[in-house]
Amino acid sequence: MEILLVSVIAFAIICGIIYWFDKNKEKLIKKFKIEKKEIMKCPVCFKEYDDLKLKECSHCNSYLEKTTKYIFSQKLKKRIASILFIVIIIVLIIIGVYYGISKYIEEKERQEKYNNDISTCYDLIKNKSDYEEFSDIIKNHKDEENFEGDAYNQLYKAIDERVENIKNGNEDKELINMLSDIKFSTIYDDEDMKNYIDEKYLLAQSYSNLNSANKYIESGSYKEAFDLLQQVISNNKDKNQEIVDIATNKQNEIKDKAFEQIINEAQTQINNQDYSSAQKTLENYKDLGNQTILDMYNNATNEVNRIEAERKAKEAEEERQRKQAEIDAKKDQLTINKNGKKIWKVCMTGNTFRFQATYRGSGNFIVKLLDSNQDLEELIVNEIGDYNVDKTVRVNKGEYYYIETYVSNGSWNGSWWGTYGD
Ligand SMILES: [Zn+2]
């Protein structure tokens, strides 16, 4: 854009100069005592001839044209040459100076933006907890070699200051949230950076928990304080001995009061016969050397086991009864017994059914097997007078059938196989 503007201006100035020269041609000729001379000139090879009568170029045989030639004095030529030389030098100097100044301004602006963005990076981490914006700024400077490193130094500085602030007893949940976001959302290509964030996250959280534990102690909630300190100790084990020591000392200071609260809480639960809650309350403290807690825990555990065993026994008994009822429902069931006719509802245990009987008398003896719809499945016997029957028929396992017997002027004796029986 700038180049275009400069070109247009230069073009306009050149046009102006040409126009001015053209307008003042005669005056200039007079002033600088330039001689005018008519000559013949070849338009093709530009050879000049003083002889005005000549028509053709002796060189290329083209037709010559008449033209005016301006003859500059030697002195004027020198003056023009020196003016031109000076003008070119001036133009070169102007271009050089312009280029130098614009480069200088550009560099200065870049430097200013660099410094501004670096201090913005510090501000974003220190005061705004905005790691996302911080990353965007780094992306904008990805062509500048040192920027990322400088920006991360600001991040380290800001985080260190904020961790120190928590260590001094002040709340800073935003820092912990920001570190957690960085920890879980960033794909690190730098192991040191990952370790740094992990370390600061743990420190910030641990100091914050120590502060919370102090608040619990102030308000008399010793059990909560004890638990929180325990968490701090296990999180920092083999990592930050200083924090482990602080938490352990504090835990020892409140141990007795915390145990008293735990015992009271568990006792209330035991009194309410809520043994499993009592067991949970005591579980984490049973191995810390307090005999009362251990005894209570063992008692609560025994109760929980006893109740569980009772519940299981009850469940097993219920299951047994349910299964028995299922079997009972399948047992042979005499539904009709009237005027020599008997009907049993039965359920088949397998795929065959065998009926065996002896009839003694002079009347009718009829036995039918009916399906669950009470339609005839098989006529087993239909005889008059003494008769022995032993017949096996195919049936469907698990399905219900009806056995119908009819007898007149006599009696029958027998039994069948393949049902659940009496
Ligand atoms: Zn010629």
Side-chain angles (χ1 to χ4, degrees):
M1 190 62 213
E2 271 173 33
I3 291 167
L4 191 73
L5 196 71
V6 169
S7 309
V8 167
I9 290 168
F11 182 74
I13 289 169
I14 290 165
C15 287
I17 290 167
I18 290 169
Y19 177 75
W20 184 83
F21 268 106
D22 203 49
K23 220 182 157 189
N24 299 286
K25 207 154 96 182
E26 292 307 319
K27 274 189 198 164
L28 287 167
I29 287 169
K30 258 188 206 158
K31 192 168 180 206
F32 292 107
K33 292 168 190 150
I34 296 165
E35 271 181 56
K36 268 207 278 187
K37 191 183 173 192
E38 303 272 287
I39 55 157
M40 299 307 281
K41 193 174 186 181
C42 171
V44 179
C45 70
F46 304 115
K47 204 160 170 63
E48 292 173 359
Y49 300 92
D50 288 340
D51 186 355
L52 296 178
K53 281 171 200 149
L54 221 57
K55 293 264 186 284
E56 269 182 24
C57 179
S58 60
H59 234 257
C60 62
N61 296 334
S62 304
Y63 281 105
L64 295 174
E65 282 171 0
K66 198 184 219 172
T67 183
T68 311
K69 187 183 177 185
Y70 297 96
I71 298 160
F72 295 81
S73 67
Q74 208 55 30
K75 199 177 151 197
L76 187 59
K77 271 186 188 164
K78 273 187 188 158
R79 268 178 76 182
I80 289 171
S82 51
I83 286 167
L84 270 179
F85 181 73
I86 288 165
V87 165
I88 287 166
I89 294 294
I90 287 170
V91 166
L92 285 176
I93 288 171
I94 287 170
I95 289 171
V97 166
Y98 173 79
Y99 183 77
I101 288 174
S102 62
K103 273 281 152 201
Y104 173 77
I105 290 170
E106 209 176 86
E107 175 56 22
K108 216 172 168 189
E109 278 172 357
R110 192 196 64 78
Q111 196 63 48
E112 214 164 273
K113 187 170 160 45
Y114 189 102
N115 293 337
N116 275 343
D117 285 358
I118 285 292
S119 67
T120 305
C121 281
Y122 174 77
D123 184 52
L124 283 170
I125 299 301
K126 170 88 180 182
N127 302 317
K128 301 198 174 77
S129 304
D130 194 345
Y131 180 70
E132 213 173 299
E133 179 70 25
F134 172 88
S135 303
D136 285 347
I137 291 180
I138 287 181
K139 272 181 213 146
N140 290 338
H141 287 273
K142 66 175 183 299
D143 295 334
E144 283 160 294
E145 212 184 315
N146 298 324
F147 190 86
E148 187 169 352
D150 287 349
Y152 271 104
N153 285 337
Q154 296 300 315
L155 174 131
Y156 297 148
K157 185 178 158 211
I159 289 176
D160 286 347
E161 286 168 3
R162 288 178 72 168
V163 170
E164 193 62 25
N165 184 45
I166 300 178
K167 192 180 175 180
N168 292 334
N170 299 301
E171 272 296 284
D172 191 353
K173 290 278 173 236
E174 288 88 12
L175 175 68
I176 294 168
N177 291 339
M178 180 179 69
L179 288 171
S180 158
D181 285 348
I182 300 174
K183 191 172 148 77
F184 295 112
S185 71
T186 309
I187 299 151
Y188 303 101
D189 25 74
D190 183 356
E191 194 65 20
D192 289 345
M193 165 76 180
K194 185 190 178 316
N195 292 340
Y196 174 85
I197 294 294
D198 286 351
E199 184 195 324
K200 295 300 164 181
Y201 178 70
L202 179 61
L203 276 182
Q205 208 180 34
S206 301
Y207 285 128
S208 181
N209 282 342
L210 287 177
N211 293 342
S212 299
N214 283 337
K215 283 199 185 117
Y216 278 134
I217 292 169
E218 276 167 31
S219 66
S221 304
Y222 299 107
K223 177 180 179 285
E224 283 77 4
F226 191 90
D227 290 345
L228 208 48
L229 292 167
Q230 192 57 47
Q231 198 184 317
V232 171
I233 291 168
S234 64
N235 287 346
N236 288 279
K237 206 179 166 195
D238 301 328
K239 287 178 190 159
N240 302 307
Q241 195 51 44
E242 189 197 334
I243 291 180
V244 172
D245 291 345
I246 295 172
T248 309
N249 290 338
K250 200 147 279 184
Q251 233 187 10
N252 287 335
E253 279 171 29
I254 61 162
K255 204 172 182 175
D256 293 341
K257 286 172 181 164
F259 284 175
E260 195 186 314
Q261 286 185 344
I262 290 155
I263 289 166
N264 286 340
E265 190 182 324
Q267 193 56 58
T268 307
Q269 287 161 335
I270 288 170
N271 292 345
N272 293 330
Q273 295 186 327
D274 186 358
Y275 300 107
S276 69
S277 293
Q279 195 188 24
K280 280 197 195 90
T281 303
L282 297 161
E283 198 168 25
N284 293 332
Y285 313 100
K286 68 183 165 61
D287 301 323
L288 299 179
N290 184 294
Q291 195 56 42
T292 312
I293 289 179
L294 183 59
D295 291 346
M296 283 175 90
Y297 175 79
N298 288 336
N299 290 341
T301 304
N302 289 341
E303 283 303 308
V304 166
N305 293 344
R306 185 184 57 75
I307 290 165
E308 177 65 10
E310 274 175 11
R311 192 187 61 75
K312 276 197 178 144
K314 199 180 160 209
E315 238 177 47
E317 172 59 16
E318 276 169 6
E319 176 66 9
R320 198 194 59 73
Q321 282 178 6
R322 194 184 58 74
K323 279 195 176 145
Q324 191 54 51
E326 231 170 58
I327 291 167
D328 287 350
K330 290 177 181 172
K331 287 209 161 162
D332 299 349
Q333 207 181 325
L334 183 62
T335 57
I336 283 174
N337 186 5
K338 224 177 185 182
N339 304 328
K341 182 173 173 179
K342 285 182 173 178
I343 298 181
W344 287 267
K345 189 183 179 185
V346 300
C347 184
M348 296 301 173
T349 57
N351 288 320
T352 54
F353 171 72
R354 182 180 169 200
F355 187 91
Q356 193 186 33
T358 306
Y359 171 71
R360 292 292 173 262
S362 57
N364 236 337
F365 178 42
I366 304 171
V367 178
K368 295 175 188 169
L369 182 67
L370 310 176
D371 67 14
S372 61
N373 257 337
Q374 298 192 324
D375 293 324
L376 182 67
E377 178 80 20
E378 184 93 30
L379 184 63
I380 291 170
V381 60
N382 184 7
E383 297 292 336
I384 296 169
D386 291 353
Y387 194 73
N388 295 331
V389 62
D390 186 349
K391 193 162 182 179
T392 300
V393 297
R394 289 208 71 77
V395 291
N396 292 324
K397 181 181 174 179
E399 281 186 13
Y400 283 91
Y401 290 81
Y402 293 88
I403 298 164
E404 183 183 321
T405 63
Y406 174 75
V407 70
S408 66
N409 293 327
S411 64
W412 71 274
N413 225 321
S415 59
W416 59 77
W417 295 266
T419 67
Y420 283 83
D422 301 328

